[in-house]
Amino acid sequence: MSAFPAPHRVRSSEFAAALDGAVTAVKAGGEHLLKRYDRTARPGDLNEIVRDIYANDEAVLAVVKEPLLAARPGSQWSEDELAGGALPEGEWWVVDTAEGNINHIHGMNDWSVTATLVRDNTPVLTAVYVPLTGDLYTAVQGQGAFLNGRRLQVSAKSDLKAALVGTGQAKPGETEEALRRLGASVTAMLLSALVVRASVPATMQLIHVAAGRMDAFWQFSDVRSGLLPGALLVAEAGGMVTDTRGEPWTPSSQDFLATAPGIHQQVVDVLTSLT
């Protein structure tokens, strides 16, 4: 059972049209991003990196924004992909036009397009499209999580010593305190879990948690766009979504944890031992 708060339960048909619209939009955005992908790309300096990142974002935004707003009349658009904290009341699209943009522009594989509809700060619908594989991850609150139409289930692991876990930076330029805490948590988990992955972006690890391929993911950050899609997918796949102290997670939380239920308390114990 997930600790993820869900104050507004939805009817089975309430978001059907919005989900269809989200799927269409992220696929269109993903195919657009795929055309811009070059496995041989090697940006040479920070200016080139920033230029390429913004070019990707702007190109995909032009493809997905209006269709998503039209798919849910009255919804609003969260402009800043790197923003954190609570949203105003109402329904908002939180979209990452190129989740894993840094990987895309370096010719690497881990990138996607995501769209999540948030109602009163609770994610109620998400679609994540991975163009290189054609994989589509979807979830609607209370209706399960799916990969290409097949229901997802989190891992059945019950021993942290057998677990594959992961974390990573939320964005460039985080504070020294946050980065030192991240480093300390990796060391602690290396001593406690079987294998630790440290990579970006968050969504590309959280889909593995939802699918049972990984057992836990944590992050000392509140960047909404990187956490909301995976939060809903993991919760709907039967996982636990909390903060690192085991309290229910919301966009206002300062950090994030998603795990298989059988190892949740063990992971919390390791992470809280750092403070």
Side-chain angles (χ1 to χ4, degrees):
M1 179 178 180
S2 173
F4 187 63
H8 302 291
R9 287 296 175 187
V10 302
R11 300 185 303 275
S12 59
S13 61
E14 184 176 1
F15 290 107
L19 180 61
D20 288 345
V23 167
T24 299
V26 296
K27 283 187 172 181
E31 294 308 314
H32 200 70
L33 200 57
L34 186 59
K35 294 176 182 177
R36 302 175 60 83
Y37 179 61
D38 179 2
R39 290 188 184 276
T40 68
R42 303 293 186 269
D45 58 28
L46 185 57
N47 287 335
E48 192 174 346
I49 288 169
V50 171
R51 182 202 68 195
D52 292 349
I53 284 174
Y54 276 107
N56 278 348
D57 283 337
E58 291 173 3
V60 177
L61 183 65
V63 174
V64 303
K65 182 174 181 178
E66 292 308 318
L68 283 170
L69 289 171
R72 190 65 180 173
S75 62
Q76 301 174 78
W77 191 266
S78 177
E79 294 289 346
D80 186 353
E81 289 180 2
L82 296 179
L87 289 160
E89 290 186 1
E91 292 187 352
W92 292 80
W93 286 106
V94 176
V95 175
D96 199 321
T97 52
E99 171 73 331
N101 209 341
I102 192 70
N103 296 331
H104 180 283
I105 66 170
H106 282 86
M108 298 173 69
N109 292 343
D110 283 351
W111 49 275
S112 62
V113 178
T114 77
T116 304
L117 185 65
V118 181
R119 174 192 279 180
D120 297 337
N121 282 294
T122 296
V124 293
L125 172 158
T126 195
V128 176
Y129 182 57
V130 186
L132 284 177
T133 62
D135 285 336
L136 175 69
Y137 294 81
T138 59
V140 174
Q141 184 196 89
Q143 297 176 39
F146 297 86
L147 166 58
N148 300 329
R150 177 179 60 82
R151 185 178 288 271
L152 295 176
Q153 180 65 43
V154 295
S155 163
K157 297 263 184 72
S158 59
D159 183 1
L160 183 56
K161 292 186 181 299
L164 171 57
V165 303
T167 188
Q169 289 175 260
K171 58 184 178 180
E174 295 191 76
T175 66
E176 180 178 347
E177 179 183 1
L179 294 175
R180 290 189 180 279
R181 188 182 181 199
L182 175 62
S185 73
V186 169
T187 299
M189 281 296 178
L190 285 167
L191 295 169
S192 303
L194 180 64
V195 173
V196 180
R197 300 181 70 201
S199 64
V200 294
T203 299
M204 299 303 287
Q205 294 196 69
L206 285 165
I207 59 176
H208 292 314
V209 178
R213 296 185 289 257
M214 284 177 59
D215 307 297
F217 173 83
W218 74 97
Q219 193 172 82
F220 299 116
S221 167
D222 64 348
V223 175
R224 289 189 297 258
S225 64
L227 299 177
L228 283 163
L232 184 57
L233 285 164
V234 171
E236 289 298 320
M240 297 289 291
V241 178
T242 67
D243 65 17
T244 60
R245 292 162 296 283
E247 298 298 324
W249 181 82
T250 73
S252 297
S253 300
Q254 295 303 302
D255 51 35
F256 176 90
L257 173 63
T259 77
I263 64 165
H264 180 260
Q265 188 58 52
Q266 297 169 66
V267 176
V268 169
D269 289 345
V270 172
L271 295 178
T272 54
S273 72
L274 304 174
T275 59

